[in-house]
Amino acid sequence: VDVASIADRIGFVDDSAPTTSRDTDRPLHSTDESKSAPTSNLLLSVNEEDEDESYTPTLDPCHPLPKRQKLLFLWEYLTLRGFFRLLGRQVGTQPLAFIAVACLLSMNSCGMYWMVLKDRIRDGYTPINAPSRYETDVIRQFWNSSGDPMMTLLLMLAKDGGSMHRKEYIDEAASVIRFYNSNFSVEFEGEKLVFDRMCDPYCGITTAFDMFKQEYDSVYAKAAKGENITSMAKLTFPVANLNGFEVHLERSMFGVRTRPENGELMHSDGIEKRITNMEHVEVILMIFRGDKGTERLEKQMATWELAAYDFALHEYKSDLLDIMVVGTDVLDREMIRDGSRMMPFFAAGFGIMISFVSLCVLMTALFYDEMDPGKIMIACVATLCPILAITSSYGIVSVLGLRVNSFMLVMPFLIMGIGVDDAFLMTHSWQRMSRQGYGVAERLGMVYEEVGPSITITSLTNFLSFGIGAFTPTPEIRLFCLVTAIAMAIVFMLQLVLFGPILALACRFERKKDENEWEHRAGWRKRVEEWFENILNCYCRLIGHRMFTIGIVAATCIYWYFGIVGIMNIKTRLDAVKILPKDSPIQKPNHILTNIVWAEYHPVTILVNAPFDPTNHQQVARFFEMVHDFESLHNSKGPESSLIWLRDYADYCARGNPIIDVFAAMLGETRMTNTERFDPLSTNMPLDKLDAFLASPFFKHWSSFLRQGVGKNGEKVIDQFWINVAYQNTSSWEIRIELMEEWRELAAKYKDLNASVWEPNGMFVDQMLSLKGVAVQTGILTLVCMAVVCAIFIPNPCSVVTASIAIASISIGVLGFLSWWSFDLDPVVMAAVLMSIGMSVDFTAHVSYHYQLTNRKEIRNGKVMKIPVVGQHQKLRHTLHSVGWPMVQAGVSTVFCILPLLFLKSYSTSVFVCTIFLVVSWGLLHGLIILPSFLSCLPEFLTNANCYRTFLSTSSEKSCRYAGAPREEMLPMQEKPTQDA
């Protein structure tokens, strides 16, 4: 293909008419000879008299381009800035076509119709490679279950603050338990859901309480008749002996005060105190468990739990009890409810941002004497682009069948901040060129060439870092990173194909002025401009001064010290009290669970997954050695609170079933004899008695604790079994995390038993153990992506390094000072930190990119001149003149966006407000003071170094991307030269 034909195709031949410019209707500044020349010969030629061999395109039909120079001419438009200049020209020529593309892209917003708001608090923030996931898989295998068990907690308290073991109160509690277990139903897809039909394999979970209640009623009735109750069943806490059955009450009753062994009863004491050793019972708790093995079962369990919660909250009426229901699906709904409450405040914030952007655009238009309806259109679309990107990304993930979690509700702040920043940069560049005589296409080409590379660096950095973050092992963070990466890509494209064309259309509303009109109309505008120029010059001299730089370095070191100390002291804690709304109904049950339930009883399930032979004394000894280690840990409640079937099996093998005392039976009492205990280590425990043991009415409850199988030789073996060891005083997460780590260490110590542990809060423990690592990993990932992208698009290594250090510095300041403000590292803070890292890129990349440029463009005598930027002062002035004011506008607009959230008293909103305030403050500090001051103190050979010019061929020098001697381009729309701009 001939080079000239390629040039024709991409727009270097004037196809419109030989007497007009492509961009305006003004006559071309050309000779009569050129006017009569054929259109196909109107090629831009190269001025070969340039001393530095740079090319100056001119309209000269008499001297067609040599082939080598045509290739160089095309090479200019294959560079990054050249590509954006070409794109800007095409946008300026055909804006409606690009707006049509933007409309098609924005149609993804329709996918929000299928959007589902749902959190997975229990396991969503747990890495997929966390130990708790393996532990959960093991317990699933034991129960032959494919899903997580539902664990819905029912808490019951006396309204008068009295004891729950009073007769009428415990009767009401038993009635509520029976109602939820058998009578409470909810509609689901045309069928009634009743818990006792869904509870398999956990259906007997209320048996212990039912046995206690039955014996309690019997003894209470006899005591009420005045009968002797001293020889009856021992209704003692924590373990009741019910006619040979040992029933553990510590899993159902909490806040219990017991009477001393030799304590005397008062005449005023109620019957419940005389027949038990309990003086007060604060809470009765019941756990409803079910298997979420399939997606349908999961939906059924969630529907039942939420309906049970609503019934307890709104429909249950009693003069005796307060009942509360809580579970993971309830917690998820409360989190989503809290996020939904922020929507009106988000809308108000976006409204304030739109007003601020409109004010900035209109004030700038007033200054340049360019006030027209097009400026209002620009202000509206500047905020419309990020809003469309937000809705489109939500729509895309919804169409893909993914849910939207509360974590992802942070994303709009990030997209609005970055999108509006890019819009301010484009608007600032576009309005500066309003009085320089450009046509629409050439003006858009210059705007895209100036701004396009820097917004590409920030957008691509965020897209890559969040895109890679979409492959992290934490599901909820993966979803957040995925939707944010999609939104980053869409907002970048919309800036180019929607906001750019709107700028082109806005040009049509501008008044046509002759070239000297600005000079004649200057007046106060000229004085204001000179005043700002003087301030900018003084500021550049100040931050470029050596003493000022030394002071900045010292202040930065102090800032780093406090930031690093704050990060080292930040605590990883998942506190539902803070995360949940303060007016949430589940704040009270959470307080009870934390301060009463977990303080008294915190069990761990220990599974032995290796084949077990009770006749193997060495294996039995090894097992009880492990049990002793678990029962000897700090906070253990001791052997009496452990559930170990092998101890009862040893008793059974030694003496058989307990025997009913016949003499006591004749007197109407039920009393067992032969209940002594035996040492399992010295007892023969053959497997042939196991079936009879599990069939005994005294021990059949142990059948759910073990799984039997057949060995290689057809003999009976025990494939798996589990035990429970209980702990107390575990209200704080620090203690629970420490215990979990000790449990795992002990289990790993007994590899011959293939032991593993499982605890319902294990997922939450791993969340807290992994959050700090994920935060560090994400920060490092963003820095690496930033360095790679900058290294590709910025040829100066010094700019790449300083930009990366600045991002790290901002991130250190945000997280460190959040710690100083008493915030813990939890999922909400984690989301805010990810957002801050993304926003910090915008405050540093633009500065680093513009500072390393070695030339700028101006119009002189009707030609576009590339003017060298020489010296640190000129570099500072050019950089701050290009990005300083847009950076301030973007930061202020982002702060205005979050102002309405100050009126919402919520933990998550306070985190977002504080984080955005910090990232904007530290970002502006780094972008306007620290980074420019540090760059200005570096030797010029470092800030001017160009890897591409050093390592690539000389053809790269001719790129308009970064460097080169001053050259001029004929401005095709000028009829005669203008004065210096």
Side-chain angles (χ1 to χ4, degrees), residues 667-678:
L667 297 176
E669 299 179 6
T670 303
R671 187 184 304 169
M672 299 295 171
T673 62
N674 194 27
T675 58
E676 64 271 22
R677 311 293 297 187
F678 292 85

Side-chain angles (χ1 to χ4, degrees), residues 39 140 174 404 539 554 573 593 672 694 702 895 898 942 958 963:
T39 302
R140 286 175 185 164
V404 175
Y539 181 73
R573 182 182 301 166
L593 289 171
M672 299 295 171
L694 297 177
W702 292 120
V895 172
I898 63 169
L942 287 179
K958 305 186 185 304

Side-chain angles (χ1 to χ4, degrees), residues 24-69:
T24 68
D25 293 331
R26 303 178 188 177
L28 285 169
H29 179 56
S30 58
T31 62
D32 293 339
E33 184 180 25
S34 65
K35 292 180 181 180
S36 61
T39 302
S40 60
N41 290 330
L42 271 173
L43 295 176
L44 296 172
S45 65
V46 173
N47 183 356
E48 298 181 343
E49 297 179 358
D50 273 354
E51 297 178 359
D52 66 333
E53 295 185 347
S54 65
Y55 42 94
T56 305
T58 59
L59 291 171
D60 190 353
C62 300
H63 299 88
L65 289 172
K67 188 171 183 179
R68 174 177 175 273
Q69 291 173 334

Side-chain angles (χ1 to χ4, degrees), residues 19 36 213 265 269 311 463-464 489 498 501 636 867 966:
T19 57
S36 61
K213 179 63 169 58
L265 289 170
D269 288 339
F311 175 84
F463 173 76
L464 288 178
L498 179 58
S636 172
I867 309 299

Side-chain angles (χ1 to χ4, degrees), residues 555-567:
T556 303
C557 290
I558 297 174
Y559 160 81
W560 284 348
Y561 169 78
F562 283 101
I564 293 172
V565 170
I567 291 176

Side-chain angles (χ1 to χ4, degrees), residues 746-916:
L746 282 180
K749 178 181 174 182
Y750 294 91
K751 295 184 183 297
D752 53 327
L753 297 175
N754 192 14
S756 63
V757 296
W758 180 80
E759 198 271 323
N761 291 317
M763 292 280 189
F764 296 111
V765 170
D766 283 337
Q767 287 178 25
M768 286 176 277
L769 291 175
S770 65
L771 277 176
K772 189 171 289 188
V774 171
V776 173
Q777 174 188 346
T778 306
I780 294 175
L781 188 64
T782 303
L783 289 177
V784 171
C785 290
M786 172 73 185
V788 171
V789 173
C790 288
I792 294 173
F793 295 119
I794 300 179
N796 181 257
C798 183
S799 296
V800 175
V801 173
T802 53
S804 302
I805 293 175
I807 291 176
S809 178
I810 295 173
S811 303
I812 288 172
V814 171
L815 186 55
F817 280 81
L818 282 176
S819 175
W820 282 109
W821 288 351
S822 301
F823 288 103
D824 300 319
L825 185 58
D826 52 39
V828 178
V829 173
M830 181 68 193
V833 170
L834 291 177
M835 175 188 64
S836 69
I837 294 173
M839 294 181 69
S840 65
V841 176
D842 257 28
F843 292 102
T844 58
H846 296 310
V847 173
S848 294
Y849 172 79
H850 282 81
Y851 192 85
Q852 56 85 44
L853 295 177
T854 57
N855 56 71
R856 58 186 175 85
K857 289 190 176 183
E858 286 186 3
I859 298 178
R860 292 186 179 178
N861 300 322
K863 300 177 181 179
V864 179
M865 304 294 297
K866 292 188 72 174
I867 309 299
V869 180
V870 181
Q872 306 294 29
H873 178 76
Q874 286 193 26
K875 280 179 170 289
L876 280 176
R877 188 183 181 283
H878 171 65
T879 299
L880 296 178
H881 186 267
S882 299
V883 302
W885 179 235
M887 189 186 302
V888 173
Q889 289 176 314
V892 173
S893 65
T894 305
V895 172
F896 280 165
C897 183
I898 63 169
L899 286 181
L901 297 181
L902 294 174
F903 299 96
L904 183 61
K905 301 301 181 183
S906 169
Y907 171 73
S908 56
T909 57
S910 64
V911 172
F912 298 151
V913 169
C914 293
T915 302
I916 290 178

